[in-house]
Amino acid sequence: MAPSITTLSSKIARIITSIFIISTSLPSASTTAIPNSPPFKKIYAFGDSYTDTGNTGSTTGPSGFNYVSKLPYGKTFFHHPTNRYSDGRLMIDFVAEALSLPYLPPYQDQTANKSAGVNFAVAGSTAIVYSFFVSNNLALDITHQSLGTQLSWFNKYLEGQGCKGDTTRSQCDAALSDALFWVGEIGANDYAYTIGSSVSSSTIQKLAISSVTGFLQALLTNGAKYVVVQGLPTTGCLPLAMALAPIDDRDDLGCVASANKQASSHNAVLQSKLQELRKRYPQAVIVYADFWNAYRAVMKNAGKYGFREPFRSCCGSGGGPYNFDVSNACGSPSSSSCPSPSQYINWDGVHLTEAMYKVVVDLLLNGTFSHPPFQYLLNRKKQAAGMY
């Protein structure tokens, strides 16, 4: 992750490209529950492995995390693997709970009930189209889907709902007007591909932000009115980054300074683009979910949130300060998982524990880390629906 790391084996590089791949039962009670009367009838989600609820599995997901379809993935809440890259629920699951909606089925599940929404997120997905990496000889053994793929899937889904343009406005309104659009973090994989290459981080930032902006414009033009966009997290705090970066590349949190700075810079540009979109689409509510600062707040006071292990992977191998071995990832025969994942921030070296996802969601939905506040979005939706 750190720009100073330029010589890695191809095996390690394949693992790094998995970062954030860098991702339907009824909901249970949650401390983030908000409404008495649900303001939304459905959610559409996009992103990478931090949001993917099952569009990839062990044989179709990113290299390096080839055991997501096996225990101990999913052991905490579902008690069996669900192809979520965690021990249990993800942020989008807690969002669904908070809105009194079912967990989102993955788009690839053709038999699922999708009346309350669909999850288009793909583990391994990039913001930039996959062909860019192929043309720059950066195409490793990774998921080929990009944000553009997810938009194509979404458009195909709309067509299936009878929404095929202005002549089917009523069908489009039915599919879109009561929906929350949750765009999970995406772009960290794009930066990971630049490690050891001649493609600069500034080039990746420009292209990734352009892709995300174009994607959002397409959603808003289609009729999306309530959109939440997550920024990148503090990528330098992940065990994988910590294990691979030079020891002198550290910030005030003890995380990899260069990686966190890169993510922060990306987020700053993203926020400026969101402000431009707000002016262009005044009828829509566009919320920036500040994943970076929410994650940082937890890292600064981990004990306050019940975490005893801010850096160490719960599931992994190798011991040491990070319990992460690139050759023996979570789920491999030589790995093991901790007995109390709720005390760990990180699950497998790259992805987070259910406990961390829950804390972050609470900070985003009920705290001060969304701009404008998520409650403002809810109020706008309730006003539009005549709820008060």
Side-chain angles (χ1 to χ4, degrees), residues 127-308:
I128 304 170
V129 66
Y130 178 72
S131 59
F132 167 81
F133 300 99
V134 174
S135 64
N136 282 278
N137 297 316
L138 298 172
L140 301 174
D141 183 16
I142 58 171
T143 306
H144 293 187
Q145 284 83 2
S146 68
L147 200 51
T149 306
Q150 297 177 41
L151 181 60
S152 296
W153 287 354
F154 176 64
N155 289 335
K156 184 176 181 180
Y157 168 81
L158 288 183
E159 290 179 1
Q161 302 301 300
C163 175
K164 300 180 181 180
D166 292 338
T167 58
T168 58
R169 195 67 258 169
S170 61
Q171 291 92 330
C172 294
D173 288 343
L176 299 171
S177 62
D178 285 322
L180 172 68
F181 288 77
W182 186 276
V183 183
E185 76 83 23
I186 191 161
N189 291 320
D190 302 69
Y191 289 104
Y193 295 155
T194 66
I195 296 177
S197 79
S198 60
V199 180
S200 68
S201 294
S202 61
T203 296
I204 293 297
Q205 181 183 99
K206 179 180 179 180
L207 293 176
I209 293 292
S210 177
S211 293
V212 172
T213 303
F215 170 80
L216 292 172
Q217 286 178 334
L219 294 183
L220 293 162
T221 300
N222 268 336
K225 289 183 172 60
Y226 307 96
V227 184
V228 177
V229 182
Q230 279 185 257
L232 301 184
T234 52
T235 56
C237 294
L238 301 176
L240 181 146
M242 299 288 292
L244 295 178
I247 194 65
D248 60 350
D249 186 8
R250 296 291 186 266
D251 59 16
D252 62 315
L253 296 176
C255 301
V256 180
S258 55
N260 279 349
K261 183 178 180 180
Q262 184 180 72
S264 179
S265 174
H266 176 100
N267 291 339
V269 178
L270 174 62
Q271 290 180 77
S272 69
K273 294 298 182 181
L274 294 184
Q275 186 57 27
E276 293 176 9
L277 290 174
R278 292 185 184 105
K279 294 177 181 178
R280 183 173 176 182
Y281 300 91
Q283 78 283 2
V285 180
I286 304 172
V287 172
Y288 174 68
D290 193 350
F291 194 3
W292 195 93
N293 275 305
Y295 197 127
R296 179 179 170 82
V298 177
M299 291 295 295
K300 288 178 68 175
N301 199 353
K304 172 185 175 182
Y305 298 99
F307 298 115
R308 298 179 60 183

Side-chain angles (χ1 to χ4, degrees), residues 340-354:
S340 302
S342 63
Q343 297 180 359
Y344 288 68
I345 285 177
N346 197 277
W347 166 244
D348 62 6
V350 168
H351 308 97
L352 310 181
T353 60
E354 175 184 280

Side-chain angles (χ1 to χ4, degrees), residues 6 18 26 34 53 57 62 83 88 90 94 119 136 157 159 164 191 236 276 303 307 309 342 353 367:
T6 57
S18 302
L26 292 174
I34 296 171
T53 56
N83 291 326
L90 309 179
F94 289 113
N119 193 330
N136 282 278
Y157 168 81
E159 290 179 1
K164 300 180 181 180
Y191 289 104
E276 293 176 9
F307 298 115
E309 294 287 351
S342 63
T353 60

Side-chain angles (χ1 to χ4, degrees), residues 24-30 32-45 77-78 84 89 91-105 113-118 178-182 374 377-378 381 387:
T24 34
S25 55
L26 292 174
S28 60
S30 169
T32 59
I34 296 171
N36 292 321
S37 177
F40 294 101
K41 292 182 179 179
K42 55 180 71 74
I43 303 172
Y44 299 124
F77 180 77
F78 300 100
R84 286 168 170 82
R89 291 163 288 184
M91 276 188 275
I92 191 61
D93 295 314
F94 289 113
V95 171
E97 287 185 6
L99 297 175
S100 299
L101 292 172
Y103 300 138
L104 293 185
N113 181 348
K114 298 173 182 174
S115 60
V118 188
D178 285 322
L180 172 68
F181 288 77
W182 186 276
F374 188 74
L377 179 145
L378 289 180
K381 179 62 174 71
M387 291 184 178

